């Protein structure tokens, strides 16, 4: 069965959309991942896991969406960094467009660390915008969706991302370019300030690589993606069955309208 938006024909698309009512939007970035991984790492991983999950629990999967929050990587070759207003407007238009094709629910499935706070803000900002669909966001970086027991951490161009790209697109991985001494530890630590700055990640990893990429293997990547896809499929089942969030959304709009009309 075809579940990828770009592979579907009108008849099969309409049948799948009207039966399952859910579309996954995999989101990543175009961003430096050290010297050895491709720019599209996060979107490739998010899309590959979304496709695997939808093959277990059917729904439509949108093509990878590359334009995430990436201000922290603006100083690197390969980055596509939209300004914040355009970023929000494009994502908002995109989810509206997806919904307009017959979906009641949209799951934004994220593979990029820099999108975590951005997507939470985006989801929250939808509360006072009356639409006829419900938006969910899921994060592939860590628990509860990513539960694979990696030997090393890092979170970027590390053992985990390298392994998964080895499984998805092995021809794009160039381990011979990985010259940074491992383990790649944080260089500076701004957490002792006790407050947040936009440079916290850059301070730690100025080459946008962390951990021990040389511990990666295609086998680990394959296992991790399968395990994560099982977790995402379980989440898809819960989202499909969720009646609480859509009803709260409608209740919220009604109260919002009463406030606006002075009631
Ligand atoms: Zn990444």
């Amino acid at each position: 069965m075809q579940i990828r938006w770009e592979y579907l024909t009108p008849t099969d698309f309409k049948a799948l959309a009207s039966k399952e009512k859910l579309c996954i939007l995999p989101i990543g970035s175009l961003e430096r991942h050290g010297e050895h991984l491709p720019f599209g790492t996060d979107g490739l991983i998010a899309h590959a896991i979304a496709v695997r999950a939808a093959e277990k629990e059917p729904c439509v999967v949108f093509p990878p969406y590359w334009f995430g929050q990436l201000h922290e990587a603006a100083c690197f070759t390969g980055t596509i960094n939209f300004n914040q207003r355009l970023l929000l407007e494009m994502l908002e238009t995109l989810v509206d467009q997806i919904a307009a094709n017959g979906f009641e629910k949209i799951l934004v499935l994220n593979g990029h660390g820099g999108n975590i706070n951005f997507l939470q803000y985006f989801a929250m900002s939808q509360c006072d915008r009356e639409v006829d669909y419900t938006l969910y966001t899921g994060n592939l970086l860590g628990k509860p969706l990513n539960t694979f027991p990696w030997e090393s951490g890092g979170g970027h161009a590390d053992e985990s991302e390298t392994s998964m790209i080895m499984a998805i697109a092995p021809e794009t991985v160039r381990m011979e370019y990985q010259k940074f001494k491992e383990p790649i530890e944080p260089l500076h630590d701004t957490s002792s300030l006790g407050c947040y700055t936009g440079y916290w990640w850059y301070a730690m990893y100025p080459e946008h690589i962390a951990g021990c990429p040389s511990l990666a293997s295609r086998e680990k990547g394959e296992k991790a993606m399968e395990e994560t896809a099982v977790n995402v499929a379980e989440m898809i089942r819960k989202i499909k069955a969720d009646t609480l969030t859509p009803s709260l959304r409608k209740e919220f709009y009604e109260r919002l309208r009463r406030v606006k009309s002075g009631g």
Side-chain angles (χ1 to χ4, degrees):
M1 184 178 60
Q2 298 294 350
I3 42 89
R4 292 171 61 153
W5 185 301
E6 67 275 28
Y7 288 175
L8 284 159
T9 53
T11 302
D12 294 342
F13 182 95
K14 282 184 210 162
L16 189 56
S18 64
K19 182 162 179 266
E20 307 298 348
K21 314 234 188 288
L22 173 69
C23 181
I24 302 183
L25 170 60
I27 183 168
S29 59
L30 288 174
E31 171 194 16
R32 173 180 173 85
H33 280 76
E35 291 287 334
H36 70 291
L37 287 183
F39 295 136
T41 291
D42 298 349
L44 292 170
I45 291 171
H47 183 252
I49 291 172
V51 167
R52 277 182 191 234
E55 282 166 356
K56 301 176 196 305
E57 182 62 43
C59 59
V60 173
V61 177
F62 197 80
Y65 182 63
W66 305 104
F67 309 118
Q69 184 295 116
L70 204 51
H71 307 305
E72 75 275 21
C75 64
F76 297 116
T77 300
T79 295
I80 295 297
N81 170 36
F82 285 105
N83 76 58
Q84 66 277 66
R85 284 172 296 280
L86 188 57
L87 201 61
L88 284 165
E89 228 174 285
M90 283 175 39
L91 187 56
E92 196 167 271
T93 304
L94 178 56
V95 290
D96 281 353
Q97 283 293 299
I98 290 172
N101 280 282
F103 296 98
E104 291 178 2
K105 295 173 177 177
I106 297 172
L107 166 62
V108 183
L109 192 64
N110 174 40
H112 168 52
N115 278 342
I116 297 172
N117 293 341
F118 166 63
L119 288 174
Q120 281 180 354
Y121 173 72
F122 178 74
M124 192 65 91
S125 74
Q126 300 304 295
C127 289
D128 64 352
R129 204 173 70 94
E130 190 159 352
V131 292
D132 57 1
Y133 62 91
T134 308
L135 187 77
Y136 303 80
T137 63
N139 178 31
L140 293 170
L141 295 107
K143 290 173 183 165
L145 295 179
N146 183 340
T147 50
F148 188 77
W150 299 103
E151 286 177 69
S152 61
H156 190 81
D158 58 354
E159 177 194 357
S160 107
E161 289 193 328
T162 305
S163 297
M164 288 190 276
I165 294 299
M166 281 174 166
I168 297 164
E171 70 282 7
T172 67
V173 180
R174 304 297 296 269
M175 287 313 290
E176 68 274 27
Y177 293 163
Q178 198 326 73
K179 303 287 189 224
F180 301 105
K181 191 174 169 296
E182 299 183 23
I184 300 154
E185 305 278 9
L187 183 64
H188 305 291
D189 179 10
T190 58
S191 67
S192 61
L193 294 169
C195 57
Y196 183 92
T197 92
Y199 296 98
W200 71 276
W201 176 263
Y202 181 79
M204 290 198 296
Y205 303 111
E207 293 297 338
H208 264 219
I209 181 169
C212 297
S214 64
L215 291 175
S217 74
R218 188 174 183 162
E219 293 67 38
K220 286 182 190 171
E222 181 57 39
K223 273 190 200 152
M225 286 209 302
E226 187 56 27
E227 193 175 300
T228 309
V230 168
N231 295 335
V232 173
E234 178 58 30
M235 188 170 67
I236 295 172
R237 267 189 289 280
K238 287 182 190 164
I239 290 173
K240 283 182 184 175
D242 177 33
T243 53
L244 178 63
T245 318
S247 77
L248 291 174
R249 183 171 59 79
K250 285 172 195 153
E251 177 189 306
F252 194 92
Y253 293 155
E254 271 163 35
R255 295 185 73 162
L256 181 68
R257 271 195 299 275
R258 282 207 296 275
V259 169
K260 282 184 175 168
S261 65

